[in-house]
Amino acid sequence: MALPTQTIQAIAVSPGIAIGRTARITGPTGSLEPEPHKITEDEIPAELSRYNAALALTRKQLVELRQEVRNKLRSQDAEIFDAHIMLVDDRTFSAEVEKGIREKLFAAEYALYLASEHFANVFAEMPDEYLRERAADIRDVSSRILSNLTNIHVHGHEIDMDDRRIIVAHTLSPSETAGLETGKVLGFAVATGSATSHTAILARSMGLPAIVGIPPELPEQLSAEDKLIIDGFSGKLVINPDARTEEAYRLKKAEAGQIRSRLESENELRPETTDGFIVQLAANLDSPEKVEEVRRCGASGIGLFRTEYLFMNRPGLPGEEEQFEVYKKLLVECDNAPLIVRTLDVGGDKFNTNIYRASEQNPFLGLRGIRLCLHERRDILETQLRALLRAGVFGNLKVMLPMVSSVREVIEVRSILEQLQQQLDAEGKEHVSNLSLGVMIETPAAALMADRFAPMVDFFSIGTNDLVQYTMAIDRGNERVAYLYRPSHPAILELIRLCVEAAQRHNIWVSVCGQVAADVYMVPLLVGLGVHELSMSPASVAVVRRVIRSMSMYEMEQAAQAALNCSNATDALAVSEALINLRAPEVVNI
Ligand code: PEP
Ligand code: MG
């Protein structure tokens, strides 16, 4: 039955308006724990047959995947699927799930989760390393079955729906979001997450409106027939709107579209302040296929290529040759414009069962980014750096390291680079000898030590999504503390100031590649603090260009100074709001 007309206030994380019917992803998927929904005795047969159907579908997908991998890669690489198919066929495993359904009266999702955790834990505790690693396989296969149990098959990169719809989910992981076919999605309404969660970042990069923080029970209550409006500007979700409301939103959508296309017609114009200072505007990229969008938006290059998406939604890991081809192609397409590739940054909410060996209580404070690469998966870092060193000869490549918190990490990477260069020399393989290397400033430790980092690197790229999270001590994916997520907080501005000043003293440049680079109210403060480059999703470049072209460097410096002297985020933001309202009111709400 359709829900009554109602409006819910959630949190806007990706601008735009979407109007359409619902496609529900029921229950959390991926590696997360589903809700322990109970069933009645009468529902047991239906639940068992649902589970068996999901199992059969999973088997079919795995057989197809195995064939695909055999065709594309070496046949040994397909062996992993033999093990996965055996697991699907394993009677002991299925018997445990069926027990959960029959005896404990749990819905199939939770019964599956319990069985999967039970067996994964048994393997995780085995003394033999090979057997211990099978725990990840169990979780991987279970997450595929779980996806198939829901009405949308994220793993298969397909959505079972005939028209474009609004995805409603309790939780959507970055790999699930990336796995969705953009052409079938109108927008996202998700219960968990915040503006800087990676799912939100992906929604923006797909150019789709998104909101987070909807009531957690809502995805269960909605049906495919419910019509929704997502307002990605104000964070509103309208369920089954009346005709007048729907018309008003259609109008708003059309108007925003018109202003946006007007701004996009300025793509050729220089991002120059009214008193003649140029600010570099670069694009963030998470998929090599989207490089055309970078060209179209008139960005000066790619300021952040998030390589972790090369590692997601696929069996196994990308090898050196495969990565080399991706980086080389991107560099050639950039045509000598800078391309900044970030080394693998898994961990936090970007979980990858092919890479991770243990689950962590606090993954955002765990073995994430460069820590994982240096401490546990040096093999992955070396493969990636070899591919980068070799690809570097095809263009203007720069490489940066994520989640750095100590100079030791940079020293280690530099020494690995030296060894790899010697290896490549010995193998007679062409490569760059002076790779431009930067660090991301994402931890307060890195910002406070900027003076110590600066002589060791060629540039800084401030990752404010994480810098705010770690400075304010709030989980960037937790909608309950999203109200504390205030990049204009003077503590953050102060850390940015420290980085810029250290960079100036050592003659290196500073970019900001976090979400704030696209926030029209933050742009004057960042530029006024002395940041040289802003890197954002291609869709935001036009708006930010208009902001820069509307005011002088002098005004922005004054605003930044005044904001630094404020005692709270609201007052600091008000300084910038006043400037935007005076010089570029047209950029608000598009
Ligand atoms: C950041 O932290 O600001 C950043 C750009 O990296 P990511 O969002 O991928 O963590
Ligand atoms: Mg980050």
Side-chain angles (χ1 to χ4, degrees):
M1 213 180 60
L3 286 182
T5 301
Q6 56 190 295
T7 301
I8 288 167
Q9 182 65 52
I11 303 163
V13 296
S14 179
I17 289 175
I19 304 172
R21 301 219 176 263
T22 310
R24 214 158 49 112
I25 297 187
T26 47
T29 54
S31 57
L32 293 157
E33 180 178 340
E35 297 287 331
H37 289 304
K38 285 284 200 174
I39 55 167
T40 63
E41 299 227 352
D42 295 348
E43 288 168 327
I44 295 175
E47 211 57 16
L48 287 174
S49 73
R50 212 159 69 81
Y51 173 66
N52 285 323
L55 209 57
L57 180 58
T58 305
R59 191 175 205 291
K60 182 168 163 278
Q61 290 169 345
L62 287 170
V63 170
E64 282 167 10
L65 260 174
R66 180 174 61 184
Q67 196 48 46
E68 214 176 287
V69 173
R70 273 202 190 123
N71 295 343
K72 282 197 207 146
L73 305 166
R74 298 168 313 155
S75 68
Q76 301 96 289
D77 292 327
E79 276 171 19
I80 177 164
F81 293 106
D82 294 334
H84 284 196
I85 292 166
M86 269 167 65
L87 225 127
V88 170
D89 292 340
D90 190 294
R91 278 308 308 153
T92 326
F93 184 79
S94 285
E96 186 73 17
V97 180
E98 286 172 18
K99 199 167 106 191
I101 297 174
R102 276 184 211 284
E103 296 175 16
K104 298 185 187 146
L105 294 179
F106 280 124
E109 283 87 349
Y110 196 70
L112 168 70
Y113 169 78
L114 286 182
S116 155
E117 283 307 292
H118 169 69
F119 286 109
N121 288 336
V122 170
F123 276 94
E125 276 159 26
M126 297 218 172
D128 180 277
E129 190 183 339
Y130 175 81
L131 289 177
R132 266 205 312 275
E133 283 177 19
R134 301 289 66 79
D137 290 331
I138 294 175
R139 293 203 170 97
D140 197 7
V141 174
S142 303
S143 101
R144 182 178 288 280
I145 306 172
L146 194 53
S147 299
N148 286 330
L149 268 173
T150 65
N151 53 1
I152 290 177
H153 308 307
V154 179
H155 270 291
H157 294 217
E158 58 184 78
I159 308 177
D160 285 350
M161 55 196 194
D162 37 16
D163 50 354
R164 292 184 76 192
R165 287 183 181 240
I166 292 175
I167 302 285
V168 182
H170 177 277
T171 305
L172 210 51
S173 75
S175 76
E176 287 164 341
T177 315
L180 290 167
E181 218 183 284
T182 330
K184 289 190 172 179
V185 181
L186 287 169
F188 298 97
V190 185
T192 61
S194 72
T196 53
S197 58
H198 285 97
T199 304
I201 289 171
L202 284 173
R204 281 193 295 271
S205 115
M206 293 170 170
L208 295 172
I211 56 174
V212 299
I214 63 166
E217 64 285 358
L218 191 63
E220 295 287 340
Q221 294 165 349
L222 287 165
S223 74
E225 282 321 295
D226 284 305
K227 190 178 233 185
L228 304 177
I229 298 177
I230 290 182
D231 183 340
F233 301 116
S234 69
K236 286 199 170 59
L237 172 70
V238 189
I239 302 173
N240 294 317
D242 57 41
R244 264 184 50 193
T245 311
E246 185 173 336
E247 190 46 37
Y249 271 103
R250 285 198 189 282
L251 214 65
K252 192 169 170 189
K253 185 174 159 74
E255 275 169 10
Q258 277 164 11
I259 302 179
R260 186 160 273 284
S261 9
R262 221 173 42 236
L263 291 189
E264 279 166 6
S265 70
E266 298 175 357
N267 280 354
E268 300 297 313
L269 301 180
R270 295 191 334 162
E272 184 176 1
T273 62
T274 53
D275 48 357
F277 290 89
I278 301 274
V279 181
Q280 297 298 331
L281 299 185
N284 291 353
L285 202 68
D286 41 59
S287 151
E289 285 90 55
K290 295 194 193 142
V291 69
E292 181 47 37
E293 290 171 31
V294 178
R295 226 190 319 266
R296 239 182 294 132
C297 74
S300 61
I302 296 171
L304 163 64
F305 176 48
R306 290 184 165 95
T307 55
E308 38 287 357
Y309 296 100
L310 298 177
F311 290 71
M312 284 180 179
N313 293 320
R314 54 169 295 143
L317 302 173
E320 180 180 323
E321 283 312 309
E322 184 182 337
Q323 290 190 57
F324 167 72
E325 290 300 334
V326 172
Y327 305 141
K328 174 181 160 188
K329 189 160 176 280
L330 271 176
L331 282 163
V332 170
E333 281 169 332
C334 281
D335 194 19
N336 242 19
L339 162 67
I340 306 182
V341 175
R342 174 172 77 185
T343 61
L344 184 70
D345 180 26
V346 289
D349 60 350
K350 288 175 290 188
F351 187 76
N352 186 322
T353 43
N354 289 326
I355 297 174
Y356 258 76
R357 293 190 171 154
S359 65
E360 296 172 314
Q361 285 253 318
N362 284 311
F364 272 116
L365 300 181
L367 213 52
R368 178 185 169 192
I370 198 65
R371 303 172 176 183
L372 176 84
C373 284
L374 286 174
H375 199 69
E376 221 169 60
R377 298 304 307 259
R378 214 170 249 250
D379 55 325
I380 294 180
L381 180 65
E382 287 181 2
T383 304
Q384 187 167 36
L385 290 176
R386 270 181 63 103
L388 286 165
L389 283 165
R390 288 175 52 207
V393 295
F394 293 93
N396 187 354
L397 176 69
K398 301 171 197 304
V399 171
M400 66 183 176
L401 312 173
M403 270 301 283
V404 166
S405 56
S406 121
V407 289
R408 180 88 234 138
E409 291 156 336
V410 183
I411 295 171
E412 277 185 57
V413 171
R414 285 224 178 264
S415 127
I416 293 174
L417 276 170
E418 239 167 71
Q419 287 165 26
L420 296 177
Q421 282 166 337
Q422 282 165 13
Q423 257 178 29
L424 289 168
D425 279 337
E427 292 166 25
K429 291 195 168 138
E430 210 187 350
H431 63 88
V432 279
S433 49
N434 52 347
L435 186 69
S436 172
L437 186 70
V439 280
M440 289 196 71
I441 306 285
E442 300 183 284
T443 61
L448 293 167
M449 299 279 285
D451 246 327
R452 252 61 65 88
F453 278 104
M456 307 172 66
V457 293
D458 301 294
F459 62 95
F460 287 154
S461 184
I462 307 179
T464 45
N465 302 339
D466 279 312
L467 187 62
V468 176
Q469 139 164 288
Y470 295 123
T471 307
M472 302 298 295
I474 49 163
D475 175 349
R476 65 192 262 187
N478 182 345
E479 71 287 355
R480 300 180 69 211
V481 285
Y483 73 99
L484 285 172
Y485 195 94
R486 306 294 305 275
S488 62
H489 194 290
I492 307 296
L493 302 179
E494 197 60 54
L495 290 176
I496 297 175
R497 185 183 66 85
L498 278 178
C499 293
V500 171
E501 288 181 2
Q504 279 164 353
R505 278 192 288 276
H506 293 90
N507 220 4
I508 62 171
W509 52 274
V510 185
S511 166
V512 168
C513 64
Q515 176 50 25
V516 298
D519 177 339
V520 292
Y521 294 119
M522 284 300 292
V523 167
L525 302 184
L526 298 173
V527 175
L529 282 169
V531 165
H532 304 96
E533 175 183 285
L534 300 172
S535 190
M536 66 208 79
S537 77
S540 302
V541 172
V543 181
V544 174
R545 180 186 291 104
R546 174 62 78 94
V547 173
I548 306 255
R549 290 178 55 80
S550 306
M551 48 191 80
S552 67
M553 180 62 91
Y554 177 74
E555 284 171 316
M556 291 191 260
E557 280 172 357
Q558 296 287 305
Q561 209 44 56
L564 273 171
N565 289 333
C566 290
S567 57
N568 61 63
T570 308
D571 292 351
L573 199 63
V575 175
S576 185
E577 273 168 354
L579 188 55
I580 288 283
N581 290 338
L582 179 71
R583 298 288 185 219
E586 70 281 13
V587 300
V588 179
N589 268 355
I590 52 163

